[in-house]
Short mmCIF file of all heavy atoms in Angstrom, two decimals:
data_model
loop_
_atom_site.label_atom_id
_atom_site.label_comp_id
_atom_site.label_asym_id
_atom_site.label_seq_id
_atom_site.Cartn_x
_atom_site.Cartn_y
_atom_site.Cartn_z
N MET A 170 128.03 32.79 94.86
CA MET A 170 129.43 32.38 94.93
C MET A 170 129.88 31.76 93.61
O MET A 170 131.00 31.99 93.16
CB MET A 170 129.59 31.36 96.07
CG MET A 170 129.39 31.96 97.45
SD MET A 170 129.31 30.69 98.74
CE MET A 170 130.92 29.96 98.59
N TRP A 171 129.01 30.98 92.99
CA TRP A 171 129.34 30.33 91.72
C TRP A 171 129.58 31.37 90.63
O TRP A 171 130.55 31.28 89.87
CB TRP A 171 128.22 29.39 91.33
CG TRP A 171 128.46 28.63 90.06
CD1 TRP A 171 129.29 27.55 89.90
CD2 TRP A 171 127.88 28.88 88.78
NE1 TRP A 171 129.24 27.12 88.59
CE2 TRP A 171 128.39 27.91 87.89
CE3 TRP A 171 126.97 29.81 88.31
CZ2 TRP A 171 128.02 27.87 86.55
CZ3 TRP A 171 126.60 29.76 86.98
CH2 TRP A 171 127.13 28.80 86.11
N ARG A 172 128.72 32.39 90.57
CA ARG A 172 128.87 33.41 89.54
C ARG A 172 130.16 34.20 89.73
O ARG A 172 130.85 34.53 88.76
CB ARG A 172 127.65 34.34 89.55
CG ARG A 172 126.37 33.67 89.06
CD ARG A 172 125.25 34.67 88.87
NE ARG A 172 124.03 34.01 88.45
CZ ARG A 172 123.03 33.69 89.27
NH1 ARG A 172 123.13 33.98 90.57
NH2 ARG A 172 121.96 33.09 88.81
N VAL A 173 130.50 34.52 90.97
CA VAL A 173 131.75 35.23 91.23
C VAL A 173 132.94 34.38 90.81
O VAL A 173 133.89 34.87 90.20
CB VAL A 173 131.85 35.61 92.73
CG1 VAL A 173 133.26 36.11 93.05
CG2 VAL A 173 130.83 36.67 93.08
N GLY A 174 132.87 33.10 91.10
CA GLY A 174 133.95 32.19 90.71
C GLY A 174 134.10 32.11 89.20
O GLY A 174 135.22 31.99 88.69
N LYS A 175 132.99 32.16 88.48
CA LYS A 175 133.06 32.10 87.02
C LYS A 175 133.62 33.40 86.44
O LYS A 175 134.29 33.40 85.41
CB LYS A 175 131.67 31.83 86.43
CG LYS A 175 131.05 30.52 86.87
CD LYS A 175 131.80 29.31 86.33
CE LYS A 175 131.42 29.03 84.90
NZ LYS A 175 132.00 27.75 84.41
N LEU A 176 133.33 34.52 87.12
CA LEU A 176 133.81 35.81 86.63
C LEU A 176 135.28 36.05 86.93
O LEU A 176 135.98 36.70 86.17
CB LEU A 176 132.97 36.94 87.25
CG LEU A 176 131.55 37.11 86.73
CD1 LEU A 176 130.79 38.10 87.59
CD2 LEU A 176 131.55 37.57 85.27
N PHE A 177 135.72 35.53 88.08
CA PHE A 177 137.08 35.79 88.51
C PHE A 177 137.82 34.47 88.79
O PHE A 177 138.11 34.14 89.94
CB PHE A 177 137.09 36.65 89.78
CG PHE A 177 136.37 37.95 89.62
CD1 PHE A 177 135.10 38.13 90.13
CD2 PHE A 177 136.98 39.00 88.93
CE1 PHE A 177 134.44 39.35 89.97
CE2 PHE A 177 136.33 40.22 88.77
CZ PHE A 177 135.06 40.39 89.28
N PRO A 178 138.10 33.72 87.74
CA PRO A 178 138.78 32.43 87.94
C PRO A 178 140.22 32.62 88.41
O PRO A 178 140.90 33.56 88.01
CB PRO A 178 138.74 31.80 86.55
CG PRO A 178 138.65 32.96 85.62
CD PRO A 178 137.85 34.00 86.32
N ARG A 179 140.67 31.70 89.27
CA ARG A 179 142.05 31.71 89.72
C ARG A 179 142.58 30.30 89.63
O ARG A 179 141.93 29.35 90.04
CB ARG A 179 142.18 32.18 91.19
CG ARG A 179 141.74 33.58 91.43
CD ARG A 179 142.32 34.08 92.77
NE ARG A 179 142.12 33.12 93.84
CZ ARG A 179 141.07 33.10 94.64
NH1 ARG A 179 140.08 33.95 94.47
NH2 ARG A 179 140.98 32.22 95.63
N LYS A 180 143.77 30.15 89.10
CA LYS A 180 144.33 28.82 88.88
C LYS A 180 144.59 28.08 90.18
O LYS A 180 144.60 26.86 90.22
CB LYS A 180 145.62 28.93 88.07
CG LYS A 180 145.41 29.36 86.63
CD LYS A 180 146.71 29.38 85.87
CE LYS A 180 146.50 29.79 84.42
NZ LYS A 180 147.76 29.83 83.66
N ASP A 181 144.83 28.82 91.27
CA ASP A 181 145.21 28.17 92.52
C ASP A 181 144.01 27.87 93.41
O ASP A 181 144.17 27.37 94.52
CB ASP A 181 146.21 29.04 93.29
CG ASP A 181 145.65 30.41 93.66
OD1 ASP A 181 144.63 30.82 93.04
OD2 ASP A 181 146.22 31.07 94.53
N ARG A 182 142.80 28.17 92.97
CA ARG A 182 141.63 27.95 93.80
C ARG A 182 141.11 26.53 93.61
O ARG A 182 141.37 25.88 92.62
CB ARG A 182 140.54 28.96 93.42
CG ARG A 182 139.32 28.88 94.32
CD ARG A 182 138.28 29.91 93.96
NE ARG A 182 138.09 29.97 92.52
CZ ARG A 182 137.85 31.10 91.88
NH1 ARG A 182 137.84 32.24 92.52
NH2 ARG A 182 137.66 31.10 90.56
N SER A 183 140.31 26.08 94.58
CA SER A 183 139.71 24.76 94.45
C SER A 183 138.75 24.76 93.27
O SER A 183 138.24 25.81 92.86
CB SER A 183 138.95 24.41 95.73
OG SER A 183 137.88 25.31 95.92
N PRO A 184 138.48 23.58 92.68
CA PRO A 184 137.51 23.49 91.59
C PRO A 184 136.16 24.05 92.03
O PRO A 184 135.77 23.93 93.19
CB PRO A 184 137.42 21.99 91.32
CG PRO A 184 138.71 21.44 91.83
CD PRO A 184 139.07 22.28 93.02
N THR A 185 135.43 24.67 91.12
CA THR A 185 134.18 25.33 91.45
C THR A 185 133.03 24.33 91.53
O THR A 185 132.81 23.55 90.61
CB THR A 185 133.84 26.39 90.38
OG1 THR A 185 134.92 27.31 90.28
CG2 THR A 185 132.57 27.15 90.75
N MET A 186 132.29 24.36 92.66
CA MET A 186 131.09 23.55 92.77
C MET A 186 130.03 24.07 91.80
O MET A 186 129.96 25.27 91.54
CB MET A 186 130.54 23.60 94.20
CG MET A 186 131.40 22.95 95.23
SD MET A 186 130.53 22.88 96.83
CE MET A 186 130.26 24.62 97.16
N VAL A 187 129.20 23.17 91.30
CA VAL A 187 128.12 23.54 90.39
C VAL A 187 126.78 23.29 91.11
O VAL A 187 126.38 22.14 91.26
CB VAL A 187 128.17 22.74 89.08
CG1 VAL A 187 127.06 23.18 88.14
CG2 VAL A 187 129.54 22.90 88.41
N PRO A 188 126.10 24.35 91.56
CA PRO A 188 124.81 24.16 92.24
C PRO A 188 123.78 23.49 91.34
O PRO A 188 123.72 23.77 90.14
CB PRO A 188 124.39 25.59 92.60
CG PRO A 188 125.67 26.37 92.63
CD PRO A 188 126.51 25.76 91.55
N GLN A 189 122.97 22.60 91.93
CA GLN A 189 122.01 21.81 91.15
C GLN A 189 120.65 21.81 91.83
O GLN A 189 120.54 22.02 93.04
CB GLN A 189 122.48 20.35 91.06
CG GLN A 189 123.88 20.14 90.60
CD GLN A 189 123.98 20.06 89.09
OE1 GLN A 189 123.00 20.29 88.38
NE2 GLN A 189 125.13 19.73 88.59
N THR A 190 119.62 21.53 91.06
CA THR A 190 118.31 21.19 91.61
C THR A 190 118.03 19.73 91.27
O THR A 190 118.51 19.21 90.26
CB THR A 190 117.19 22.06 91.01
OG1 THR A 190 117.08 21.80 89.60
CG2 THR A 190 117.47 23.55 91.23
N THR A 191 117.26 19.09 92.11
CA THR A 191 116.89 17.70 91.84
C THR A 191 116.11 17.60 90.53
O THR A 191 116.33 16.68 89.73
CB THR A 191 116.05 17.14 93.00
OG1 THR A 191 116.80 17.24 94.22
CG2 THR A 191 115.68 15.69 92.78
N ALA A 192 115.24 18.57 90.29
CA ALA A 192 114.46 18.57 89.05
C ALA A 192 115.37 18.72 87.83
O ALA A 192 115.14 18.09 86.79
CB ALA A 192 113.43 19.69 89.08
N GLY A 193 116.41 19.53 87.95
CA GLY A 193 117.34 19.72 86.84
C GLY A 193 118.10 18.45 86.51
O GLY A 193 118.30 18.12 85.33
N VAL A 194 118.53 17.72 87.54
CA VAL A 194 119.23 16.46 87.31
C VAL A 194 118.27 15.43 86.74
O VAL A 194 118.63 14.67 85.83
CB VAL A 194 119.87 15.95 88.62
CG1 VAL A 194 120.50 14.57 88.42
CG2 VAL A 194 120.93 16.94 89.11
N ALA A 195 117.04 15.39 87.26
CA ALA A 195 116.05 14.45 86.73
C ALA A 195 115.78 14.72 85.26
O ALA A 195 115.63 13.79 84.45
CB ALA A 195 114.75 14.57 87.53
N ASN A 196 115.72 15.99 84.87
CA ASN A 196 115.50 16.33 83.47
C ASN A 196 116.69 15.91 82.61
O ASN A 196 116.52 15.41 81.50
CB ASN A 196 115.27 17.83 83.34
CG ASN A 196 114.86 18.23 81.93
OD1 ASN A 196 113.89 17.70 81.39
ND2 ASN A 196 115.61 19.15 81.33
N ALA A 197 117.92 16.10 83.14
CA ALA A 197 119.11 15.67 82.40
C ALA A 197 119.13 14.16 82.22
O ALA A 197 119.54 13.66 81.17
CB ALA A 197 120.37 16.14 83.14
N LEU A 198 118.67 13.42 83.23
CA LEU A 198 118.57 11.97 83.11
C LEU A 198 117.57 11.59 82.01
O LEU A 198 117.82 10.67 81.21
CB LEU A 198 118.14 11.35 84.44
CG LEU A 198 119.19 11.31 85.55
CD1 LEU A 198 118.52 11.00 86.89
CD2 LEU A 198 120.27 10.29 85.24
N ARG A 199 116.45 12.29 81.97
CA ARG A 199 115.43 12.01 80.95
C ARG A 199 115.98 12.28 79.56
O ARG A 199 115.82 11.46 78.65
CB ARG A 199 114.20 12.88 81.21
CG ARG A 199 113.07 12.67 80.21
CD ARG A 199 111.93 13.66 80.43
NE ARG A 199 112.39 15.03 80.26
CZ ARG A 199 112.59 15.62 79.09
NH1 ARG A 199 112.39 14.95 77.95
NH2 ARG A 199 112.99 16.87 79.03
#
Side-chain angles (χ1 to χ4, degrees):
M170 292 170 62
W171 182 76
R172 290 189 182 98
V173 169
K175 299 293 280 188
L176 287 171
F177 303 103
R179 297 198 312 269
K180 291 183 179 179
D181 60 342
R182 185 178 44 216
S183 64
T185 304
M186 293 188 299
V187 182
Q189 309 273 7
T190 64
T191 302
V194 175
N196 187 55
L198 286 166
R199 180 186 61 78

